Amino acid sequence: MAWDFETDPEFQEQLDWMEEFVREKVEPLGMLGIHPYDVKNPRRNELVRPLQQEVKDRGLWACHLGPELGGRGYGQVKLGLMNEILGGATFAPIVFGCQAPDTGNAEIIAHYGTDEQKARYLEPLLENEIVSAFSMTEPQGGSDPTNFATTAVLDGNHWKINGEKWFSTNGKWADFLIVMAVTNPDAQRHKRMSMFIVPVDTPGVEIIRNVGVYGQQDGSESYVRYTDARVPADHLLGEQGEAFAISQTRLGGGRVHHAMRTVGNCKRLLDAMSRRAVSRKTRTGVVADYQTVKMQIADSYIELEQFRLFVLKTAWMIDKYQDYLKVRKDIAAIKALMPTVYHNIAKRCIHIHGSLGVSNEMPFVGNLIGSMVMGIADGPTEVHKVTVAKQHLRDYKDVGDPIFPDYSLIARREQALQRYGPPEELVEAAEAAE
């Protein structure tokens, strides 16, 4: 039986190298006003390409991919520990070749794409020569694909796509989009949609505007309209009507990575509030002397450690079972817990920093907004909580307890008497009465 919390020394050495590399070379890139996904920017490539090569030389490039695609095929535990370091450094995922949404899109093409699709789209995507967008969410349907209205109709040897998509992340930088559209309107709700590769320069593809999360100066969440956009019939990914199942496979591992990157962000916040608490002077000492501040730091540490262990346990389960469906409850649970932990710690960090904390000279309000994004992205928290409850209650489907169940104290006492007989004093009393 293996049950420990240690990292093998060889991989720990890699993590130690990552810590220093990200801190010293990667984090500063986020201060230069360059977008990590702008692969057409010569200055960006001049700075990023050498760092990507260092990662490749270290054997840490695109570790989520199997060796046949140039990765290491790391399991979710190793990827989780890596993403903990990458969280909070804007350029880190792209320097390590594991940036969303490209990772998920690459996984889809690798599993469901044709040889031609892989050569045209997957290979340059894996080398970060291009970037992509996942065009799924719709303005009227949110993240519930069963309410989507975008359609794709086969017209000769082309699919004709019509509809609108909302918050297609990085659409402004993308060379292609992966689009979910209704192809089988009369089928069961989860069999109605199919998935397509759509080059962004396809006639009829219009980026209406690029929306920013509040506080961003330059948004990259694209609002896209498709008007009779025609793509070749062979740009279908997988089988017709299988988009929902494909998307769920894509999102499973990504949610674990989001969670571990959130752990990384929360670690930074806890570090910042701790440093502020012990160094900010007051009339009677420092901020850390106040009991209420100690409570906030203690709560943050406890919540962070609980969440981190839960995420790593979920990653371990994925590695063990190699089946996302078997771990669906726990994946949904960490996704539901993530925004709450992130929000709580970010809010405390802002508060302990006072007016400086709410200013635009600190990143903490961005973290607070980020926690709210985590409660919406990849499905809202409420949806994941419902999933947790449904999965949990499946273990109780055959239970039909009476009004007074067998776990009542009266029933349990009766069961004990039947097994062990009455207490000795009752036996003696009964004998005396005779």
Side-chain angles (χ1 to χ4, degrees):
M1 173 180 172
W3 187 263
D4 60 54
F5 298 92
E6 291 182 332
T7 305
D8 66 79
E10 183 179 346
F11 188 65
Q12 185 60 54
E13 184 180 337
Q14 293 280 52
L15 295 176
D16 293 341
W17 178 85
M18 284 182 63
E19 286 267 16
E20 182 178 0
F21 177 74
V22 170
R23 182 178 62 252
E24 298 298 327
K25 294 186 177 182
V26 181
E27 278 192 43
L29 294 178
M31 301 291 105
L32 301 180
I34 302 171
H35 201 284
Y37 289 83
D38 187 5
V39 294
K40 306 297 192 298
N41 184 329
R43 177 59 174 159
R44 177 265 189 201
N45 292 336
E46 177 187 344
L47 296 169
V48 170
R49 297 298 184 204
L51 299 180
Q52 290 176 328
Q53 189 58 52
E54 284 193 60
V55 171
K56 291 176 181 179
D57 293 342
R58 190 80 186 185
L60 293 172
W61 175 258
C63 287
H64 61 291
L65 298 172
E68 72 281 2
L69 295 174
R72 299 294 295 272
Y74 279 169
Q76 292 298 326
V77 171
K78 283 188 172 181
L79 291 173
L81 293 170
M82 291 177 67
N83 276 288
E84 183 178 11
I85 295 170
L86 303 182
T90 309
F91 275 78
I94 216 155
V95 167
F96 281 78
C98 59
Q99 70 282 358
D102 295 336
T103 50
N105 291 345
E107 184 177 0
I108 288 174
I109 300 173
H111 281 94
Y112 301 99
T114 63
D115 290 341
E116 184 178 348
Q117 290 171 348
K118 292 175 183 178
R120 181 176 176 184
Y121 299 106
L122 179 60
E123 291 178 14
L125 187 64
L126 294 179
E127 288 302 313
N128 192 225
E129 295 170 2
I130 62 174
V131 294
S132 62
F134 191 53
S135 203
M136 172 180 167
T137 302
E138 296 190 1
Q140 85 295 330
S143 58
D144 182 359
T146 64
N147 287 329
F148 286 174
T150 298
T151 60
V153 177
L154 192 59
D155 182 18
N157 61 350
H158 282 73
W159 289 95
K160 187 169 62 176
I161 301 175
N162 284 280
E164 293 184 349
K165 294 292 185 177
W166 174 250
F167 256 56
S168 295
T169 302
N170 296 327
K172 69 183 294 183
W173 313 114
D175 274 53
F176 70 90
L177 309 105
I178 291 185
V179 181
M180 284 183 65
V182 175
T183 55
N184 306 50
D186 299 324
Q188 297 176 0
R189 288 169 67 85
H190 292 89
K191 296 286 187 179
R192 296 170 61 232
M193 293 153 292
S194 301
M195 203 170 280
F196 303 88
I197 297 176
V198 180
V200 77
D201 59 0
T202 301
V205 176
E206 174 193 3
I207 295 182
I208 300 171
R209 61 179 181 268
N210 291 297
V211 183
V213 174
Y214 191 85
Q216 292 180 342
Q217 297 300 313
D218 186 24
S220 59
E221 305 291 346
S222 299
Y223 179 18
V224 189
R225 179 176 292 144
Y226 301 88
T227 307
D228 290 337
R230 295 172 64 85
V231 296
D234 63 4
H235 277 44
L236 174 71
L237 281 163
E239 299 294 326
Q240 188 173 332
E242 293 299 317
F244 183 82
I246 294 171
S247 66
Q248 290 305 303
T249 300
R250 174 193 189 277
L251 292 170
R255 286 169 178 149
V256 177
H257 303 164
H258 272 313
M260 284 306 289
R261 290 178 189 177
T262 297
V263 169
N265 277 316
C266 289
K267 277 188 165 183
R268 293 165 184 260
L269 290 165
L270 178 56
D271 177 67
M273 76 169 84
S274 301
R275 292 175 58 177
R276 185 68 170 179
V278 300
S279 58
R280 180 67 167 170
K281 292 180 172 57
T282 69
R283 180 174 56 84
T284 58
V286 294
V287 169
D289 292 334
Y290 291 99
Q291 190 174 27
T292 53
V293 174
K294 288 186 173 73
M295 295 303 101
Q296 292 183 68
I297 290 173
D299 287 341
S300 298
Y301 176 80
I302 292 167
E303 290 173 14
L304 174 57
E305 286 299 303
Q306 289 174 328
F307 179 58
R308 181 176 186 268
L309 291 172
F310 191 2
V311 176
L312 286 172
K313 179 231 180 188
T314 303
W316 173 81
M317 290 172 68
I318 296 172
D319 288 347
K320 177 181 179 180
Y321 295 115
Q322 295 295 307
D323 184 350
Y324 284 113
L325 291 178
K326 284 190 176 181
V327 196
R328 187 180 177 192
K329 177 172 66 173
D330 293 274
I331 293 173
I334 61 173
K335 177 62 174 66
L337 182 57
M338 173 168 50
T340 299
V341 174
Y342 194 4
H343 178 275
N344 289 348
I345 295 176
K347 181 180 68 173
R348 295 178 193 126
C349 186
I350 291 171
H351 190 67
I352 288 176
H353 279 79
S355 58
L356 182 63
V358 297
S359 76
N360 61 3
E361 295 186 1
M362 289 291 173
F364 307 140
V365 175
N367 292 119
L368 194 64
I369 295 294
S371 73
M372 296 176 181
V373 172
M374 289 296 99
I376 298 169
D378 293 347
T381 297
E382 293 81 357
V383 169
H384 294 292
K385 286 186 175 181
V386 168
T387 297
V388 172
K390 284 182 176 179
Q391 294 289 315
H392 180 74
L393 290 173
R394 284 181 178 180
D395 294 336
Y396 297 84
K397 64 180 184 298
D398 296 325
V399 174
D401 283 333
I403 294 175
F404 300 103
D406 59 6
Y407 53 82
S408 70
L409 294 178
I410 292 176
R412 289 172 60 192
R413 188 176 297 114
E414 182 61 32
Q415 293 164 11
L417 290 174
Q418 289 176 5
R419 177 177 292 273
Y420 297 110
E424 184 176 341
E425 58 270 20
L426 293 182
V427 174
E428 292 176 352
E431 291 175 348
E434 292 175 359

